Structure formats: structure tokens, C-alpha cells
Amino acid sequence: MPVIAPMPAAHSAPIPSQRDSAEEAVAAGTTVDHLTETYRAHYRSLLGLAALLLDDTASCEDVVQEAFIRVHSARRRVRDPEKTLAYLRQTVVNLSRSALRRRILGLKLLSKPMPDMASAEEGAYDQLERDALIKAMKGLQRRQREVLVLRYFADMTEAQVAETLGISLGSVKAYGSRGIAALRVAMEATA
């Protein structure tokens, strides 16, 4: 297999690249020194601008610092040193708007407050009452228990209970009243 060797470099004049012209534009436009001077001269006024748009000092300082960072990153695009301050002001305004939008969105997304819940103590008492009621229901006669469960827990009418159990409407009323009386006695005994 043939080996391909690189051609020897010919000594020729360097071709000006786009990078050289960009560096010349930076030299003519916003340099780091110019940005440093702008920072010293206008930091407080930019902080005041942010303070008019935002409400806390920390956010204002963050916005102004971020504006200077962005201008430094985009210094090749700002060719005219006279436009640096205008670019900084616009960046401060835009960053302040973004901060406000994030705050509003955060407020909208906050979870709703939890509804008032019973304390653990109340829950324990409720559980004890349920346990006592279940124990008292087990002590009833079978028909009394069936009538009370269908009537009050299944929320059926007396006619529906009678039809379901295959007994008369009078029997449903009799079993129901005797069952409630027996429950009352059993519950008072546990209290």
C-alpha cells in the first residue's frame, strides 16, 4: 500500500481571516478596559434602573451583574463604544422582566394550602367510636343488623330494605327501631 505523505508547506504570505477582522472590530469597539470603565461609571445607575423594576436588592444586583456578563460575552457584536451603555440598559430591563415572569409563574405554581384536617387525637377518638359501633352492631340480632346496615349504611329506603330482605315494611320498621334501641344501650355502656 502506498503511504501518503503530507506536502511540504510552502512559505507564502498569511491570508487574512475573518477572525482577524473580528479582533480588529473588538479593538475598535467594546474592549474589556472599556467595559471595566463603564462598570465603574454606571453600575449604580444600572442598579437604580433594576430597583425601579424589581423589589429586592439582591435580585437587582444579580440582574446588573448578569447584564455585564452578557455584554462581555457579546462584546464582539457591540462595535461602537457609545452603544455599550444602551445595550447594558436594555439587558437590565429584559433580565428584570424575566425575573418578574419567573416570580409570577412560581406564585401560580405554589401548592394550594391543605384543608383543615382533624388532629391525631380526634382521629383516634373517631377510630375508638367506630370500633365501639362495630362491636355493638355485632351484638345485635341478625335481622336487626341487616336492617340497620341496609337502611343507614347502604342508604336504602324502608321499602327497598323490605324488598331486599323479603320481609314486610312493618317488619323493617320494627327491626330498625329495636336495633337502634339496642345500639343506644350498647354505646352508652361503653362510654
Side-chain angles (χ1 to χ4, degrees):
M1 285 199 187
V3 176
I4 302 174
M7 292 182 54
H11 295 294
S12 61
I15 301 171
S17 67
Q18 290 179 346
R19 186 174 208 177
D20 294 337
S21 62
E23 288 173 3
E24 288 173 17
V26 169
T30 306
T31 62
V32 174
D33 290 336
H34 175 69
L35 199 55
T36 303
E37 289 302 317
T38 305
Y39 180 86
R40 286 184 186 139
H42 298 286
Y43 176 77
R44 292 232 182 256
S45 67
L46 292 170
L47 195 59
L49 175 63
L52 293 171
L53 301 170
L54 298 171
D55 55 355
D56 64 303
T57 306
S59 295
C60 297
E61 290 173 349
D62 290 344
V63 162
V64 173
Q65 291 296 327
E66 182 66 24
F68 274 100
I69 290 168
R70 289 190 182 190
V71 169
H72 180 267
S73 298
R75 67 184 181 274
R76 293 175 192 242
R77 287 184 279 163
V78 183
R79 297 170 196 247
D80 186 5
E82 300 296 321
K83 293 183 180 177
T84 304
L85 184 58
Y87 189 81
L88 279 165
R89 285 182 182 139
Q90 188 62 48
T91 304
V92 166
V93 169
N94 289 342
L95 290 172
S96 297
R97 286 179 185 160
S98 294
L100 289 173
R101 270 190 234 111
R102 281 191 303 275
R103 284 185 194 171
I104 290 169
L105 183 63
L107 290 174
K108 286 181 181 177
L109 296 178
L110 280 177
S111 63
K112 306 261 188 278
M114 293 294 293
D116 292 337
M117 296 180 67
S119 68
E121 186 178 81
E122 289 176 28
Y125 285 130
D126 290 344
Q127 183 64 41
L128 288 174
E129 286 179 359
R130 276 192 298 273
D131 291 345
L133 179 63
I134 291 170
K135 184 178 178 185
M137 289 288 288
K138 288 181 180 178
L140 295 177
Q141 294 177 3
R142 182 181 60 86
R143 281 286 187 200
Q144 290 174 348
R145 186 173 50 248
E146 291 171 349
V147 167
L148 291 179
V149 167
L150 292 174
R151 178 77 176 102
Y152 296 104
F153 293 100
D155 202 28
M156 291 182 168
T157 64
E158 291 175 340
Q160 291 171 330
V161 173
E163 185 180 330
T164 302
L165 294 178
I167 57 177
S168 69
L169 187 60
S171 296
V172 169
K173 289 180 182 183
Y175 285 125
S177 65
R178 289 185 199 133
I180 288 174
L183 274 180
R184 188 173 293 123
V185 170
M187 294 298 286
E188 286 175 0
T190 60

